[in-house]
Amino acid sequence: MTTIGILGTGNVARALTGGLRKAGHTLIIGSRHAQARTSLRWIADAGARLTDTADAARSADVVVNATPGEHSLALLTSLRRELEGKVLIDTANAVEQGPDGLAARLLHPDTSLAEEIQRAMPRTRVVKTLNTMGPASLMAAPQSLSVPPVAFLSGDDPAAKRTVAGLLGDLGWPSHQVIDLGGIASARVPEAFVLLVRPLIRALGPVPLALSVAR
């Protein structure tokens, strides 16, 4: 089993912690506000350990970026030393939010958050995945939708992508629902999906959403 550090304590962290703990992995949750333990009781209830972000990154074999995308790059680059050589799973979308709380524009329109992270930390093995669905609970429950969704992988390190694909399997993603898009530059395509969320919600209402590929 793997020791996994999750940076962030929001809905993404909660969903992934539950799914990965059920698969037998050791979970360490890194928070910038690790002293605010009253509001983070769910971490202990899930059998995970709460610590600060640096300790979580340092102690884990694989690290997940579950922080808000607009803050991710600054936080992760501050952990450059702790993340050196490790697999970093980036699940975030870096956007400017509109008044309704939905994405209004991409913060990296000519590239992607994942590419910017990889460029800033060339010795970290970045893999983009799980950023084309919502709510976050779908990340660990892909079978809950009426049509099988897909999870995309983007990254320059083949071994890192195999590791991430294995963890996706632990979260309930069959291998035929995981699509390797290629290098880290391909992350800009699924990251742009977030701009489709507002019109979809306007058309369908606040229903669970994920991408599926018909073939």
Side-chain angles (χ1 to χ4, degrees):
M1 292 296 106
T2 304
T3 298
I4 301 170
I6 298 181
L7 307 181
T9 56
N11 292 333
V12 172
R14 189 182 293 234
L16 295 181
T17 296
L20 292 170
R21 277 292 296 156
K22 286 180 182 177
H25 298 290
T26 298
L27 273 294
I28 304 172
I29 311 301
S31 172
R32 291 172 293 177
H33 311 289
Q35 300 306 314
R37 296 180 182 275
T38 301
S39 63
L40 300 177
R41 286 284 302 275
W42 67 267
I43 294 174
D45 292 343
R49 176 168 72 87
L50 175 65
T51 185
D52 59 62
T53 53
D55 182 50
R58 185 185 309 113
S59 303
D61 303 312
V62 175
V63 179
V64 180
N65 173 36
T67 65
E70 62 269 29
H71 304 301
S72 294
L73 187 59
L75 172 65
L76 294 172
T77 53
S78 75
L79 302 173
R80 184 181 287 105
R81 182 175 300 176
E82 289 84 357
L83 292 169
E84 187 171 318
K86 298 193 176 181
V87 175
L88 174 65
I89 303 173
D90 177 34
T91 68
N93 290 310
V95 299
E96 179 182 298
Q97 295 180 344
D100 55 4
L102 299 175
R105 72 176 187 90
L106 300 174
L107 294 182
H108 306 288
D110 298 320
T111 173
S112 65
L113 174 61
E115 288 173 87
E116 293 301 306
I117 294 169
Q118 186 66 86
R119 185 175 295 112
M121 299 188 296
R123 296 187 179 181
T124 299
R125 299 183 288 160
V126 181
V127 179
K128 188 80 180 192
T129 194
L130 294 178
N131 65 306
T132 55
M133 59 202 70
S137 58
L138 293 177
M139 295 178 175
Q143 71 284 354
S144 64
L145 293 175
S146 59
V147 176
V150 296
F152 299 107
L153 295 175
S154 297
D156 292 336
D157 188 304
K161 286 192 285 188
R162 287 194 294 271
T163 295
V164 176
L167 293 176
L168 290 177
D170 292 339
L171 289 169
W173 291 87
S175 58
H176 65 274
Q177 288 176 233
V178 178
I179 300 177
D180 186 344
L181 296 179
I184 199 67
S186 66
R188 64 185 66 180
V189 180
E191 282 194 23
F193 168 72
V194 71
L195 296 179
L196 189 57
V197 171
R198 174 185 277 114
L200 283 174
I201 288 178
R202 186 182 299 123
L204 303 174
V207 298
L209 296 170
L211 280 180
S212 182
V213 176
R215 51 186 169 176

mmCIF file with all atom_site columns, all heavy atoms in Angstrom, residues 177-196:
data_model
loop_
_atom_site.group_PDB
_atom_site.id
_atom_site.type_symbol
_atom_site.label_atom_id
_atom_site.label_alt_id
_atom_site.label_comp_id
_atom_site.label_asym_id
_atom_site.label_entity_id
_atom_site.label_seq_id
_atom_site.pdbx_PDB_ins_code
_atom_site.Cartn_x
_atom_site.Cartn_y
_atom_site.Cartn_z
_atom_site.occupancy
_atom_site.B_iso_or_equiv
_atom_site.pdbx_formal_charge
_atom_site.auth_seq_id
_atom_site.auth_comp_id
_atom_site.auth_asym_id
_atom_site.auth_atom_id
_atom_site.pdbx_PDB_model_num
ATOM 1   N N   . GLN A 1 177 ? -12.026 3.090  -18.607 1.00 0.00 ? 177 GLN A N   1
ATOM 2   C CA  . GLN A 1 177 ? -12.560 4.429  -18.386 1.00 0.00 ? 177 GLN A CA  1
ATOM 3   C C   . GLN A 1 177 ? -11.454 5.427  -18.039 1.00 0.00 ? 177 GLN A C   1
ATOM 4   O O   . GLN A 1 177 ? -11.740 6.554  -17.643 1.00 0.00 ? 177 GLN A O   1
ATOM 5   C CB  . GLN A 1 177 ? -13.601 4.417  -17.263 1.00 0.00 ? 177 GLN A CB  1
ATOM 6   C CG  . GLN A 1 177 ? -14.917 3.756  -17.661 1.00 0.00 ? 177 GLN A CG  1
ATOM 7   C CD  . GLN A 1 177 ? -15.894 3.657  -16.512 1.00 0.00 ? 177 GLN A CD  1
ATOM 8   O OE1 . GLN A 1 177 ? -16.415 2.581  -16.215 1.00 0.00 ? 177 GLN A OE1 1
ATOM 9   N NE2 . GLN A 1 177 ? -16.143 4.767  -15.838 1.00 0.00 ? 177 GLN A NE2 1
ATOM 10  N N   . VAL A 1 178 ? -10.209 5.021  -18.218 1.00 0.00 ? 178 VAL A N   1
ATOM 11  C CA  . VAL A 1 178 ? -9.056  5.905  -18.001 1.00 0.00 ? 178 VAL A CA  1
ATOM 12  C C   . VAL A 1 178 ? -8.346  6.069  -19.334 1.00 0.00 ? 178 VAL A C   1
ATOM 13  O O   . VAL A 1 178 ? -7.926  5.085  -19.954 1.00 0.00 ? 178 VAL A O   1
ATOM 14  C CB  . VAL A 1 178 ? -8.094  5.320  -16.949 1.00 0.00 ? 178 VAL A CB  1
ATOM 15  C CG1 . VAL A 1 178 ? -6.884  6.223  -16.775 1.00 0.00 ? 178 VAL A CG1 1
ATOM 16  C CG2 . VAL A 1 178 ? -8.822  5.127  -15.610 1.00 0.00 ? 178 VAL A CG2 1
ATOM 17  N N   . ILE A 1 179 ? -8.226  7.311  -19.802 1.00 0.00 ? 179 ILE A N   1
ATOM 18  C CA  . ILE A 1 179 ? -7.647  7.594  -21.113 1.00 0.00 ? 179 ILE A CA  1
ATOM 19  C C   . ILE A 1 179 ? -6.383  8.425  -20.941 1.00 0.00 ? 179 ILE A C   1
ATOM 20  O O   . ILE A 1 179 ? -6.421  9.521  -20.374 1.00 0.00 ? 179 ILE A O   1
ATOM 21  C CB  . ILE A 1 179 ? -8.641  8.342  -22.022 1.00 0.00 ? 179 ILE A CB  1
ATOM 22  C CG1 . ILE A 1 179 ? -9.902  7.494  -22.229 1.00 0.00 ? 179 ILE A CG1 1
ATOM 23  C CG2 . ILE A 1 179 ? -8.000  8.683  -23.366 1.00 0.00 ? 179 ILE A CG2 1
ATOM 24  C CD1 . ILE A 1 179 ? -10.976 8.184  -23.052 1.00 0.00 ? 179 ILE A CD1 1
ATOM 25  N N   . ASP A 1 180 ? -5.268  7.895  -21.435 1.00 0.00 ? 180 ASP A N   1
ATOM 26  C CA  . ASP A 1 180 ? -3.990  8.601  -21.406 1.00 0.00 ? 180 ASP A CA  1
ATOM 27  C C   . ASP A 1 180 ? -3.925  9.520  -22.618 1.00 0.00 ? 180 ASP A C   1
ATOM 28  O O   . ASP A 1 180 ? -3.858  9.063  -23.759 1.00 0.00 ? 180 ASP A O   1
ATOM 29  C CB  . ASP A 1 180 ? -2.853  7.576  -21.433 1.00 0.00 ? 180 ASP A CB  1
ATOM 30  C CG  . ASP A 1 180 ? -1.472  8.209  -21.263 1.00 0.00 ? 180 ASP A CG  1
ATOM 31  O OD1 . ASP A 1 180 ? -1.347  9.437  -21.431 1.00 0.00 ? 180 ASP A OD1 1
ATOM 32  O OD2 . ASP A 1 180 ? -0.514  7.459  -20.981 1.00 0.00 ? 180 ASP A OD2 1
ATOM 33  N N   . LEU A 1 181 ? -3.940  10.828 -22.367 1.00 0.00 ? 181 LEU A N   1
ATOM 34  C CA  . LEU A 1 181 ? -3.925  11.809 -23.451 1.00 0.00 ? 181 LEU A CA  1
ATOM 35  C C   . LEU A 1 181 ? -2.524  12.126 -23.960 1.00 0.00 ? 181 LEU A C   1
ATOM 36  O O   . LEU A 1 181 ? -2.373  12.775 -24.998 1.00 0.00 ? 181 LEU A O   1
ATOM 37  C CB  . LEU A 1 181 ? -4.590  13.111 -22.986 1.00 0.00 ? 181 LEU A CB  1
ATOM 38  C CG  . LEU A 1 181 ? -6.070  13.037 -22.622 1.00 0.00 ? 181 LEU A CG  1
ATOM 39  C CD1 . LEU A 1 181 ? -6.553  14.407 -22.164 1.00 0.00 ? 181 LEU A CD1 1
ATOM 40  C CD2 . LEU A 1 181 ? -6.905  12.527 -23.782 1.00 0.00 ? 181 LEU A CD2 1
ATOM 41  N N   . GLY A 1 182 ? -1.491  11.706 -23.216 1.00 0.00 ? 182 GLY A N   1
ATOM 42  C CA  . GLY A 1 182 ? -0.125  11.987 -23.644 1.00 0.00 ? 182 GLY A CA  1
ATOM 43  C C   . GLY A 1 182 ? 0.610   12.857 -22.645 1.00 0.00 ? 182 GLY A C   1
ATOM 44  O O   . GLY A 1 182 ? 0.389   12.760 -21.427 1.00 0.00 ? 182 GLY A O   1
ATOM 45  N N   . GLY A 1 183 ? 1.501   13.711 -23.140 1.00 0.00 ? 183 GLY A N   1
ATOM 46  C CA  . GLY A 1 183 ? 2.356   14.521 -22.287 1.00 0.00 ? 183 GLY A CA  1
ATOM 47  C C   . GLY A 1 183 ? 1.601   15.582 -21.504 1.00 0.00 ? 183 GLY A C   1
ATOM 48  O O   . GLY A 1 183 ? 0.399   15.792 -21.687 1.00 0.00 ? 183 GLY A O   1
ATOM 49  N N   . ILE A 1 184 ? 2.326   16.277 -20.654 1.00 0.00 ? 184 ILE A N   1
ATOM 50  C CA  . ILE A 1 184 ? 1.709   17.248 -19.767 1.00 0.00 ? 184 ILE A CA  1
ATOM 51  C C   . ILE A 1 184 ? 1.043   18.374 -20.542 1.00 0.00 ? 184 ILE A C   1
ATOM 52  O O   . ILE A 1 184 ? 0.074   18.990 -20.075 1.00 0.00 ? 184 ILE A O   1
ATOM 53  C CB  . ILE A 1 184 ? 2.747   17.802 -18.763 1.00 0.00 ? 184 ILE A CB  1
ATOM 54  C CG1 . ILE A 1 184 ? 2.051   18.444 -17.559 1.00 0.00 ? 184 ILE A CG1 1
ATOM 55  C CG2 . ILE A 1 184 ? 3.730   18.741 -19.434 1.00 0.00 ? 184 ILE A CG2 1
ATOM 56  C CD1 . ILE A 1 184 ? 1.302   17.501 -16.682 1.00 0.00 ? 184 ILE A CD1 1
ATOM 57  N N   . ALA A 1 185 ? 1.526   18.675 -21.759 1.00 0.00 ? 185 ALA A N   1
ATOM 58  C CA  . ALA A 1 185 ? 0.909   19.732 -22.559 1.00 0.00 ? 185 ALA A CA  1
ATOM 59  C C   . ALA A 1 185 ? -0.533  19.421 -22.909 1.00 0.00 ? 185 ALA A C   1
ATOM 60  O O   . ALA A 1 185 ? -1.332  20.338 -23.160 1.00 0.00 ? 185 ALA A O   1
ATOM 61  C CB  . ALA A 1 185 ? 1.721   19.974 -23.835 1.00 0.00 ? 185 ALA A CB  1
ATOM 62  N N   . SER A 1 186 ? -0.905  18.147 -22.923 1.00 0.00 ? 186 SER A N   1
ATOM 63  C CA  . SER A 1 186 ? -2.290  17.783 -23.238 1.00 0.00 ? 186 SER A CA  1
ATOM 64  C C   . SER A 1 186 ? -3.253  18.154 -22.121 1.00 0.00 ? 186 SER A C   1
ATOM 65  O O   . SER A 1 186 ? -4.474  18.131 -22.314 1.00 0.00 ? 186 SER A O   1
ATOM 66  C CB  . SER A 1 186 ? -2.397  16.281 -23.536 1.00 0.00 ? 186 SER A CB  1
ATOM 67  O OG  . SER A 1 186 ? -2.118  15.499 -22.385 1.00 0.00 ? 186 SER A OG  1
ATOM 68  N N   . ALA A 1 187 ? -2.737  18.536 -20.952 1.00 0.00 ? 187 ALA A N   1
ATOM 69  C CA  . ALA A 1 187 ? -3.609  18.894 -19.826 1.00 0.00 ? 187 ALA A CA  1
ATOM 70  C C   . ALA A 1 187 ? -4.427  20.136 -20.106 1.00 0.00 ? 187 ALA A C   1
ATOM 71  O O   . ALA A 1 187 ? -5.494  20.338 -19.503 1.00 0.00 ? 187 ALA A O   1
ATOM 72  C CB  . ALA A 1 187 ? -2.778  19.105 -18.562 1.00 0.00 ? 187 ALA A CB  1
ATOM 73  N N   . ARG A 1 188 ? -3.962  20.985 -21.025 1.00 0.00 ? 188 ARG A N   1
ATOM 74  C CA  . ARG A 1 188 ? -4.701  22.226 -21.295 1.00 0.00 ? 188 ARG A CA  1
ATOM 75  C C   . ARG A 1 188 ? -6.078  21.939 -21.881 1.00 0.00 ? 188 ARG A C   1
ATOM 76  O O   . ARG A 1 188 ? -6.997  22.767 -21.746 1.00 0.00 ? 188 ARG A O   1
ATOM 77  C CB  . ARG A 1 188 ? -3.900  23.139 -22.207 1.00 0.00 ? 188 ARG A CB  1
ATOM 78  C CG  . ARG A 1 188 ? -3.636  22.609 -23.593 1.00 0.00 ? 188 ARG A CG  1
ATOM 79  C CD  . ARG A 1 188 ? -2.719  23.534 -24.390 1.00 0.00 ? 188 ARG A CD  1
ATOM 80  N NE  . ARG A 1 188 ? -1.379  23.595 -23.815 1.00 0.00 ? 188 ARG A NE  1
ATOM 81  C CZ  . ARG A 1 188 ? -0.392  24.335 -24.317 1.00 0.00 ? 188 ARG A CZ  1
ATOM 82  N NH1 . ARG A 1 188 ? -0.607  25.071 -25.394 1.00 0.00 ? 188 ARG A NH1 1
ATOM 83  N NH2 . ARG A 1 188 ? 0.808   24.341 -23.754 1.00 0.00 ? 188 ARG A NH2 1
ATOM 84  N N   . VAL A 1 189 ? -6.258  20.786 -22.524 1.00 0.00 ? 189 VAL A N   1
ATOM 85  C CA  . VAL A 1 189 ? -7.556  20.465 -23.125 1.00 0.00 ? 189 VAL A CA  1
ATOM 86  C C   . VAL A 1 189 ? -8.585  20.102 -22.054 1.00 0.00 ? 189 VAL A C   1
ATOM 87  O O   . VAL A 1 189 ? -9.644  20.738 -21.963 1.00 0.00 ? 189 VAL A O   1
ATOM 88  C CB  . VAL A 1 189 ? -7.418  19.358 -24.178 1.00 0.00 ? 189 VAL A CB  1
ATOM 89  C CG1 . VAL A 1 189 ? -8.779  19.047 -24.793 1.00 0.00 ? 189 VAL A CG1 1
ATOM 90  C CG2 . VAL A 1 189 ? -6.430  19.776 -25.258 1.00 0.00 ? 189 VAL A CG2 1
ATOM 91  N N   . PRO A 1 190 ? -8.352  19.104 -21.194 1.00 0.00 ? 190 PRO A N   1
ATOM 92  C CA  . PRO A 1 190 ? -9.342  18.834 -20.147 1.00 0.00 ? 190 PRO A CA  1
ATOM 93  C C   . PRO A 1 190 ? -9.493  19.976 -19.142 1.00 0.00 ? 190 PRO A C   1
ATOM 94  O O   . PRO A 1 190 ? -10.575 20.159 -18.582 1.00 0.00 ? 190 PRO A O   1
ATOM 95  C CB  . PRO A 1 190 ? -8.825  17.553 -19.472 1.00 0.00 ? 190 PRO A CB  1
ATOM 96  C CG  . PRO A 1 190 ? -7.396  17.450 -19.863 1.00 0.00 ? 190 PRO A CG  1
ATOM 97  C CD  . PRO A 1 190 ? -7.285  18.084 -21.199 1.00 0.00 ? 190 PRO A CD  1
ATOM 98  N N   . GLU A 1 191 ? -8.438  20.767 -18.919 1.00 0.00 ? 191 GLU A N   1
ATOM 99  C CA  . GLU A 1 191 ? -8.591  21.904 -18.012 1.00 0.00 ? 191 GLU A CA  1
ATOM 100 C C   . GLU A 1 191 ? -9.596  22.905 -18.545 1.00 0.00 ? 191 GLU A C   1
ATOM 101 O O   . GLU A 1 191 ? -10.292 23.573 -17.772 1.00 0.00 ? 191 GLU A O   1
ATOM 102 C CB  . GLU A 1 191 ? -7.241  22.579 -17.749 1.00 0.00 ? 191 GLU A CB  1
ATOM 103 C CG  . GLU A 1 191 ? -6.371  21.835 -16.759 1.00 0.00 ? 191 GLU A CG  1
ATOM 104 C CD  . GLU A 1 191 ? -5.199  22.666 -16.252 1.00 0.00 ? 191 GLU A CD  1
ATOM 105 O OE1 . GLU A 1 191 ? -5.273  23.906 -16.299 1.00 0.00 ? 191 GLU A OE1 1
ATOM 106 O OE2 . GLU A 1 191 ? -4.206  22.058 -15.798 1.00 0.00 ? 191 GLU A OE2 1
ATOM 107 N N   . ALA A 1 192 ? -9.702  23.031 -19.867 1.00 0.00 ? 192 ALA A N   1
ATOM 108 C CA  . ALA A 1 192 ? -10.644 23.973 -20.459 1.00 0.00 ? 192 ALA A CA  1
ATOM 109 C C   . ALA A 1 192 ? -12.094 23.535 -20.283 1.00 0.00 ? 192 ALA A C   1
ATOM 110 O O   . ALA A 1 192 ? -13.018 24.344 -20.449 1.00 0.00 ? 192 ALA A O   1
ATOM 111 C CB  . ALA A 1 192 ? -10.331 24.166 -21.940 1.00 0.00 ? 192 ALA A CB  1
ATOM 112 N N   . PHE A 1 193 ? -12.316 22.271 -19.931 1.00 0.00 ? 193 PHE A N   1
ATOM 113 C CA  . PHE A 1 193 ? -13.684 21.774 -19.738 1.00 0.00 ? 193 PHE A CA  1
ATOM 114 C C   . PHE A 1 193 ? -14.440 22.596 -18.703 1.00 0.00 ? 193 PHE A C   1
ATOM 115 O O   . PHE A 1 193 ? -15.664 22.755 -18.788 1.00 0.00 ? 193 PHE A O   1
ATOM 116 C CB  . PHE A 1 193 ? -13.656 20.302 -19.317 1.00 0.00 ? 193 PHE A CB  1
ATOM 117 C CG  . PHE A 1 193 ? -14.987 19.787 -18.814 1.00 0.00 ? 193 PHE A CG  1
ATOM 118 C CD1 . PHE A 1 193 ? -16.037 19.583 -19.705 1.00 0.00 ? 193 PHE A CD1 1
ATOM 119 C CD2 . PHE A 1 193 ? -15.193 19.522 -17.474 1.00 0.00 ? 193 PHE A CD2 1
ATOM 120 C CE1 . PHE A 1 193 ? -17.265 19.117 -19.254 1.00 0.00 ? 193 PHE A CE1 1
ATOM 121 C CE2 . PHE A 1 193 ? -16.425 19.064 -17.014 1.00 0.00 ? 193 PHE A CE2 1
ATOM 122 C CZ  . PHE A 1 193 ? -17.465 18.849 -17.909 1.00 0.00 ? 193 PHE A CZ  1
ATOM 123 N N   . VAL A 1 194 ? -13.738 23.144 -17.734 1.00 0.00 ? 194 VAL A N   1
ATOM 124 C CA  . VAL A 1 194 ? -14.403 23.875 -16.651 1.00 0.00 ? 194 VAL A CA  1
ATOM 125 C C   . VAL A 1 194 ? -15.213 25.052 -17.189 1.00 0.00 ? 194 VAL A C   1
ATOM 126 O O   . VAL A 1 194 ? -16.205 25.465 -16.576 1.00 0.00 ? 194 VAL A O   1
ATOM 127 C CB  . VAL A 1 194 ? -13.361 24.331 -15.603 1.00 0.00 ? 194 VAL A CB  1
ATOM 128 C CG1 . VAL A 1 194 ? -12.480 25.444 -16.145 1.00 0.00 ? 194 VAL A CG1 1
ATOM 129 C CG2 . VAL A 1 194 ? -14.034 24.741 -14.303 1.00 0.00 ? 194 VAL A CG2 1
ATOM 130 N N   . LEU A 1 195 ? -14.830 25.580 -18.355 1.00 0.00 ? 195 LEU A N   1
ATOM 131 C CA  . LEU A 1 195 ? -15.577 26.698 -18.922 1.00 0.00 ? 195 LEU A CA  1
ATOM 132 C C   . LEU A 1 195 ? -16.947 26.267 -19.452 1.00 0.00 ? 195 LEU A C   1
ATOM 133 O O   . LEU A 1 195 ? -17.830 27.106 -19.668 1.00 0.00 ? 195 LEU A O   1
ATOM 134 C CB  . LEU A 1 195 ? -14.776 27.349 -20.050 1.00 0.00 ? 195 LEU A CB  1
ATOM 135 C CG  . LEU A 1 195 ? -13.460 28.009 -19.633 1.00 0.00 ? 195 LEU A CG  1
ATOM 136 C CD1 . LEU A 1 195 ? -12.763 28.592 -20.856 1.00 0.00 ? 195 LEU A CD1 1
ATOM 137 C CD2 . LEU A 1 195 ? -13.691 29.081 -18.576 1.00 0.00 ? 195 LEU A CD2 1
ATOM 138 N N   . LEU A 1 196 ? -17.125 24.979 -19.650 1.00 0.00 ? 196 LEU A N   1
ATOM 139 C CA  . LEU A 1 196 ? -18.406 24.461 -20.130 1.00 0.00 ? 196 LEU A CA  1
ATOM 140 C C   . LEU A 1 196 ? -19.402 24.239 -18.989 1.00 0.00 ? 196 LEU A C   1
ATOM 141 O O   . LEU A 1 196 ? -20.597 24.048 -19.233 1.00 0.00 ? 196 LEU A O   1
ATOM 142 C CB  . LEU A 1 196 ? -18.172 23.150 -20.881 1.00 0.00 ? 196 LEU A CB  1
ATOM 143 C CG  . LEU A 1 196 ? -19.329 22.518 -21.656 1.00 0.00 ? 196 LEU A CG  1
ATOM 144 C CD1 . LEU A 1 196 ? -19.898 23.482 -22.694 1.00 0.00 ? 196 LEU A CD1 1
ATOM 145 C CD2 . LEU A 1 196 ? -18.856 21.229 -22.326 1.00 0.00 ? 196 LEU A CD2 1
#
